[in-house]
Amino acid sequence: MKRVKTLLLGSAAGLCAVAGAQAADLPVQKAAPVEYVRVCTAHGAGFFFIPGTDTCLRVGGRARFEYQYSSQNARATDVSSWRGLGRLNIDARTATPYGTLRAFIRFEIASRTGGYLRSGTQERFANAFPATGIDTAGQLQKYVDVDKAFVQFAGITAGRAQSFFDFYAGDLELIGSGQYSNTNTNLLAYTATFGSGFTATISIEDPIYRRAPVFAQAAPLSMGQGNGFGPALGIAGVSSIATGYFPGTTIPTGGIGVNVIQKNDMPDFVGALRYDSAWGSAQVMGSVHEIKTIGRIGTPVAVGPDAEYGWAIGAGVKVNLPQLAPGDQLWLQGAYGQGAGSYTGLYGPPGGDLALSNVTNKFQINQVDAVLQNNGQLNLTESWSVMGAFLHYWSPEWRQAVFATYGQQNFDPRLRNNNFGPVGITGGAPLGATGPAGPGAPFVNVFNPTLMSYDQFYGGTNLIWSPVRDLDIGVEVVYQRIWLPRAVANNNLGTFAPLAGGLVTTGGAARVTSFDDNVMARIRVQRDF
């Protein structure tokens, strides 16, 4: 028995030895190394390396709810506005021998309804809600916006980005709508860094996003020109300029048809000198904006007014005030321009090529960069603005901003002379009523709705609660007012009855006004990540 056990054990040992020898001859399969996502600290918090590359990526975004109530006076205007907005930020950075190579993209996707938050020119895109019914036309819009998409490398910025003219751009407001420049545009810029916080930038920028129309009054029918576009509304179109006058009169002896619609020619040129330090920031900036119409119509060669060059200058300062509370800030800014109302912040958004009031609906004003004069020249419109804003943290969770802006648009007084001003403008009291200068009076009639200079104020306050990080729950109240300092206008909200010779109020006299105002209340809930 003992011999049998020994034999069995020896056989088992031999089999194990043979199996082990064969196993040693087989190739060994090693598991592939796992490349985990690594944190990238070189460019700030939130960045990580894209696996297999040396590029750091940060993905962020925003979800926002907004509601606004506006004290509009006209029945045809929405008083409630709603918006739900989603934002996606993608920031990619790579270290190179020439500095950081950066690509930044920001998409905004939203659904908005009502009057203030919508864009009537963008009511249908791709699969958007059509908004074509009798109760929805102009009332609802779904949209996707490439808010920013630019590349930065070795001092160069190329793509869609914030204009380098901008300084304060509504930073402390829920919805920035005051008199200051706040424009995303297509641009190519170079920034030189001098050290000690100083930088200088020169930028060529897309003029479309800065364009306001040229005012052109329709020509008298006797001249055989004009296109019936409703020139009193300031719509760019076809007008005419006089080629001569009967001696001692303002009656033209002939005219040339001119198309005053603008087309792209030269880009806008923007320059900015900026200083940044622990105490805050300061900037001076300037811009040049070409205004050029198509020119003469009806001939192979376009001949018309020479191009004019609008311009704007500005300066701003931001002061950090940690001595009051951590995070406190004070902003001050001013701008002045000729033929560049977008840079001073006086005009509406791109595409607003009509008369706008931007307040309620008592009257309309023309927001134009230039006026085609009777003598064929372009007269540039003057505008200026000032603003101030202050942010205070009552506690780490509660903060409040107070802000105010004031601006003014002025037309050259000489434009109120028929022999110098726009072709076809006639005097007379409004709609045949009797005004201070009487029926048939010259253009200086204060009731004439065309080319009215105006002043505008916009100011308010907001209170924001942040119970946890990156969550804001806020309310804002804003007051907006517009004046006609040297004129009065027909009050569109008045009750009129038709009478021979024109329209007058039921009381027998035209109802007029010299100001318009509005109060807006807003609510926002926002989460950033």
Side-chain angles (χ1 to χ4, degrees), residues 150-433:
F150 60 83
V151 175
Q152 290 181 316
F153 177 67
I156 296 172
T157 301
R160 180 169 173 81
Q162 188 87 30
S163 170
F164 280 91
F165 188 92
D166 297 355
F167 185 65
Y168 177 82
D171 298 63
L172 306 185
E173 305 170 39
L174 297 191
I175 300 178
S177 301
Q179 283 77 62
Y180 43 79
S181 176
N182 181 13
T183 300
N184 287 327
T185 186
N186 304 316
L187 56 81
L188 175 62
Y190 176 75
T191 300
T193 302
F194 302 113
S196 301
F198 285 96
T199 60
T201 300
I202 182 70
S203 177
I204 56 174
E205 302 186 358
D206 191 339
I208 287 288
Y209 291 94
R210 293 291 193 176
R211 183 165 293 162
V214 171
F215 180 92
Q217 184 81 4
L221 295 179
S222 61
M223 296 177 61
Q225 300 292 343
N227 62 356
F229 273 1
L233 296 180
I235 301 175
V238 179
S239 185
S240 58
I241 55 178
T243 57
Y245 302 91
F246 288 105
T249 73
T250 60
I251 303 174
T253 58
I256 300 175
V258 176
N259 190 332
V260 296
I261 297 175
Q262 301 179 73
K263 298 296 181 181
N264 276 356
D265 191 1
M266 296 294 292
D268 283 8
F269 294 92
V270 173
L273 178 64
R274 185 180 176 101
Y275 175 72
D276 294 282
S277 72
W279 64 262
S281 304
Q283 177 174 300
V284 293
M285 53 278 197
S287 67
V288 177
H289 173 72
E290 184 187 49
I291 302 170
K292 184 176 182 180
T293 64
I294 293 178
R296 182 173 177 176
I297 61 174
T299 60
V301 180
V303 178
D306 293 333
E308 293 289 340
Y309 291 89
W311 55 271
I313 55 174
V317 60
K318 172 193 173 186
V319 181
N320 297 324
L321 299 171
Q323 61 270 34
L324 299 180
D328 280 19
Q329 304 171 8
L330 173 66
W331 296 74
L332 299 171
Q333 180 174 300
Y336 177 87
Q338 296 273 355
S342 171
Y343 287 97
T344 58
L346 263 290
Y347 296 168
D353 295 353
L354 324 159
L356 312 166
S357 71
N358 285 343
V359 185
T360 57
N361 293 297
K362 290 183 180 179
F363 54 84
Q364 290 182 314
I365 54 175
N366 286 290
Q367 296 179 316
V368 297
D369 275 338
V371 177
L372 177 63
Q373 297 173 188
N374 208 0
N375 58 8
Q377 296 180 351
L378 292 173
N379 183 284
L380 301 183
T381 306
E382 177 190 62
S383 63
W384 59 266
S385 64
V386 292
M387 64 75 53
F390 174 67
L391 175 67
H392 176 62
Y393 278 80
W394 297 103
S395 71
E397 296 80 22
W398 290 91
R399 65 185 186 271
Q400 183 177 9
V402 179
F403 48 88
T405 65
Y406 186 89
Q408 188 175 97
Q409 174 188 268
N410 293 305
F411 292 104
D412 191 323
R414 293 176 296 175
L415 292 176
R416 295 184 176 273
N417 183 329
N418 265 344
N419 197 37
F420 188 82
V423 172
I425 290 182
T426 57
L431 301 174

Side-chain angles (χ1 to χ4, degrees), residues 441-481:
F443 182 64
V444 294
N445 186 338
V446 294
F447 286 98
N448 196 304
T450 311
L451 304 182
M452 294 184 295
S453 299
Y454 69 90
D455 297 11
Q456 186 165 321
F457 171 83
Y458 179 96
T461 184
N462 57 49
L463 182 64
I464 299 175
W465 178 43
S466 298
V468 297
R469 182 178 177 180
D470 297 327
L471 173 64
D472 289 345
I473 302 172
V475 295
E476 182 173 270
V477 177
V478 172
Y479 176 73
Q480 190 175 19
R481 183 182 177 96

Side-chain angles (χ1 to χ4, degrees), residues 81-132:
S81 301
W82 306 75
R83 180 163 68 166
L85 180 142
R87 172 182 288 182
L88 176 63
N89 299 324
I90 302 174
D91 193 349
R93 307 189 191 189
T94 305
T96 77
Y98 302 94
T100 301
L101 168 61
R102 183 190 186 198
F104 182 84
I105 302 173
R106 173 179 291 168
F107 297 109
E108 289 195 343
I109 307 97
S111 174
R112 56 189 176 188
T113 67
Y116 182 80
L117 296 175
R118 72 174 178 84
S119 168
T121 60
Q122 300 177 348
E123 286 162 7
R124 189 167 187 172
F125 281 119
N127 295 321
F129 186 90
T132 55

